[in-house]
Amino acid sequence: MSSSGSLTATPTAGIATKPYPFWLGGVAASIAASITHPLDLTKVRLQTSGDKGMIQSLRKTIRNNGTRGLFDGLTGTLLRQMTYSMTRFAAYDWAKAEVHKGSGPPPAYKMALAGSMAGGIAGIVGTPFETLMVRMQADKAKPIEQRYNYRNSVQGFFRMTSEEGISSWIRGLGPNTFRSILMNMSQLASYDLFKRELIHTKVLEDGPVLHFFASLGAVTVCSPADVIKSRIMTAHGKGTSSTMGVIKQSFANEGAMFMFKGWVPAWTRLQPTTILIFLTLEQLKKGVDAYRAAGGKLL
């Protein structure tokens, strides 16, 4: 990240004056998500099925569908990253510029506000594709008669719309947007804030240890909304998709701890994903700098 604190929008000094392409964050997130996809797949299946643990769920997936089964729903994940993640990175830089007009770095509360704004916008934009991704990931863990059997993300999105109408685009909108606000407030703002403050005070240098603690808090805060969101999006039939209906049924059947199902793979995935996203983003920015320095005009 540049010294200005921008995640995507401020070029390296001396290379170019125009902002980086807004889609760099989506590309970086897509690369990271492709690598950690098996863990995200396992998280969703733990949240929506009767699997009891991460290792058991991973073994079950490999036993039933082979190693390739660990990448079920990958096209849905990529579509989601190039909508939701691309939006959140672009919106975060915009939001920071809007909430902080003064000189010097923005205070923590403004960074958190900018992260929340970006999360809200991205949650709304990304909800249809989040629904599609969750369904594709959870599908083969469900009984055959309850599966959606989408062939890929494009065909799946077409079927979802044609079979369930436009209303399917906002299924789980509330918990998904709430989760997105919490996630982006903690992940994006903490990346900015922790890097700036911990390096400034010489308590901790930027690296895996810093992201370890950032991801630990983020995934715990977001877990309840994440579980509810996954269950609403994969539910079949009328009367089974309301937020309160899902909460009441899950609480009655499993107790309060249902809200933290899938916590281990979610945290295990979030830590390397956070690191991979920002490391990849920095390399993409360097690539754009090199391209511009060589005289390139398209980026």
Side-chain angles (χ1 to χ4, degrees), residues 47-281:
Q47 291 174 342
T48 59
S49 72
D51 293 349
K52 300 301 183 182
M54 181 176 72
I55 301 301
Q56 180 200 53
S57 184
L58 284 166
R59 287 176 175 173
K60 180 179 176 181
T61 296
I62 295 172
R63 182 174 65 252
N64 293 340
N65 305 299
T67 304
R68 291 183 61 184
L70 294 173
F71 292 89
D72 285 341
L74 181 59
T75 62
T77 294
L78 296 177
L79 181 59
R80 183 253 194 185
Q81 297 301 338
M82 289 305 295
T83 50
Y84 164 76
S85 290
M86 182 172 66
T87 300
R88 75 187 182 110
F89 276 100
Y92 180 58
D93 284 329
W94 165 81
K96 278 200 302 181
E98 289 297 314
V99 301
H100 184 67
K101 302 290 188 180
S103 60
Y109 80 91
K110 288 188 176 180
M111 295 163 74
L113 176 60
S116 299
M117 292 168 62
I121 295 169
I124 294 171
V125 171
T127 289
F129 311 103
E130 183 87 22
T131 299
L132 179 67
M133 181 193 72
V134 169
R135 287 181 176 186
M136 293 180 71
Q137 290 180 349
D139 222 26
K140 291 184 179 178
K142 289 180 168 290
I144 294 176
E145 66 276 7
Q146 293 183 13
R147 295 179 184 177
Y148 290 97
N149 294 317
Y150 298 149
R151 291 198 301 271
N152 54 59
S153 59
V154 176
Q155 186 257 5
F157 189 65
F158 175 80
R159 276 189 51 198
M160 188 174 82
T161 304
S162 62
E163 293 172 7
E164 303 171 52
I166 300 297
S167 62
S168 64
W169 293 9
I170 59 172
R171 190 165 191 172
L173 177 65
N176 184 56
T177 302
F178 182 59
R179 170 193 175 276
S180 181
I181 290 171
L182 293 177
M183 176 64 73
N184 286 281
M185 179 178 64
S186 57
Q187 188 186 60
L188 297 184
S190 67
Y191 184 87
D192 266 356
L193 181 63
F194 287 169
K195 183 173 184 178
R196 187 182 76 194
E197 295 299 324
L198 294 178
I199 291 178
H200 176 71
T201 57
K202 299 181 180 180
V203 173
L204 191 65
E205 294 183 357
D206 184 35
V209 176
L210 183 150
H211 290 288
F212 174 90
F213 288 107
S215 67
L216 184 68
V219 75
T220 301
V221 170
C222 296
S223 183
D226 195 38
V227 173
I228 294 168
K229 175 264 301 181
S230 294
R231 295 190 176 191
I232 290 173
M233 289 177 171
T234 59
H236 282 264
K238 295 182 178 180
T240 61
S241 60
S242 71
T243 299
M244 287 309 300
V246 167
I247 293 174
K248 289 179 180 179
Q249 184 179 24
S250 299
F251 188 84
N253 294 339
E254 304 168 62
M257 290 307 293
F258 87 89
M259 293 185 292
F260 296 95
K261 289 197 73 173
W263 186 93
V264 173
W267 171 77
T268 305
R269 164 191 167 270
L270 186 60
Q271 181 190 355
T273 298
T274 300
I275 295 170
L276 283 169
I277 286 174
F278 291 119
L279 289 179
T280 303
L281 183 58

